[in-house]
Structures are given as C-alpha cells and as structure tokens.
Amino acid sequence: MTLSYSHKSSGGDWQAMDYPVRLEWTDCTLGGRRAWFLCPANGCGRRVALLYLGSAGIFACRHCYRLAYACQRETADDRAMRRADNIRERLGWQAGIANPSGGKPKGMHWRTFERLTAEHDAFVGVSLSGMAARLGLIKRRL
C-alpha cells in the first residue's frame, strides 16, 4: 500500500509525502484473515493495527513516537481513584469518591458486595492520602 498525502508543519510550505507501507496478513482463530500495518519508520517494522501521524509528517507506530496511554502516566493515587470509581459504577453508586456510598445492588451476593466495598474503601484511602500529600496537607499537620 502506498500513502500519498500533503503535509504542512508549523506554518511552512506544503510537502508532498509518498511512501510505501507494507501489510501483513494473519489468520484469525475463528476463520478469516486480518491485515496489519508494518511500521514504515526506519528500522522499526513492527506489526501494528494503527499508525499515528507525527510532527515530522510521517506515519509511524506508538513505539516510534514514544506515545503512552493515559493510564500509564497516572500517579498511584490517580489510579486508586479510577479503580474506586470503577467499583462505584459496578455497584451502581454515584460516581466520585467524595459522594456517599450506596446500598447493595439487587441480585449481588453479600460476600461480593462486602469484598467490593472493602476494596473501594482501600482505594479511597490511598487516593485521599495521595491527594493530601500532593497538596502538602500532611506536612502542615506534622
């Protein structure tokens, strides 16, 4: 496959880009075939599902552009807050760790509810202590 497009970077002139991107096909478990891009960046050649357009105007994989997912950049207390919110959603409670806890959802076993509530409370504790440390509240009290 050949990518052919024009690219303009930081107010400069339009540049014509035209280069090949190889495809690789793999068999699927339940039949059929799936196409993958082979990263066209120099020396990479990774098999990827998506290519990203970078500031240089070339399509390449996440690894070449050193892109990370949002959850990979989270701090420990942010991760704990996200996990507590996921548990709140599973329990049918209102989102946000500052909101009050709700009751047990209909049909959920008491043992599961108690386990999820304990996990939720532990994640809330980690999140609040991390926020307090980030804001400097713990040092002020000591």
Side-chain angles (χ1 to χ4, degrees):
M1 176 166 99
T2 302
L3 293 180
S4 180
Y5 58 95
S6 295
H7 178 263
K8 184 177 181 180
S9 63
S10 60
D13 293 333
W14 287 96
Q15 295 179 352
M17 306 296 282
D18 188 26
Y19 54 92
V21 175
R22 292 181 41 219
L23 295 176
E24 185 174 294
W25 294 85
T26 59
D27 294 329
C28 296
T29 305
L30 300 175
R33 301 182 70 201
R34 185 192 194 296
W36 299 92
F37 293 112
L38 295 180
C39 179
N42 289 335
C44 182
R46 288 178 189 265
R47 183 173 67 185
V48 295
L50 295 173
L51 294 174
Y52 299 88
L53 181 61
S55 59
I58 296 175
F59 283 91
C61 66
R62 295 181 70 84
H63 182 264
C64 291
Y65 283 125
R66 296 186 175 158
L67 300 175
Y69 294 103
C71 64
Q72 292 173 318
R73 297 177 189 257
E74 286 179 334
T75 60
D77 55 310
D78 288 336
R79 186 174 300 112
M81 186 179 341
R82 181 174 47 85
R83 293 188 67 187
D85 274 337
N86 288 341
I87 292 173
R88 292 182 77 82
E89 182 179 340
R90 185 171 171 190
L91 294 172
W93 297 352
Q94 187 178 3
I97 61 172
N99 290 320
S101 300
K104 181 182 84 67
K106 183 176 181 181
M108 181 178 281
H109 290 271
W110 276 104
R111 186 173 176 183
T112 303
F113 174 72
E114 289 167 355
R115 177 181 52 82
L116 289 174
T117 304
E119 287 178 15
H120 171 268
D121 294 344
F123 288 136
V124 168
V126 170
S127 179
L128 292 177
S129 67
M131 281 190 269
R134 197 179 311 169
L135 296 173
L137 297 177
I138 293 176
K139 290 180 184 176
R140 288 183 202 158
R141 287 187 183 174
L142 298 175

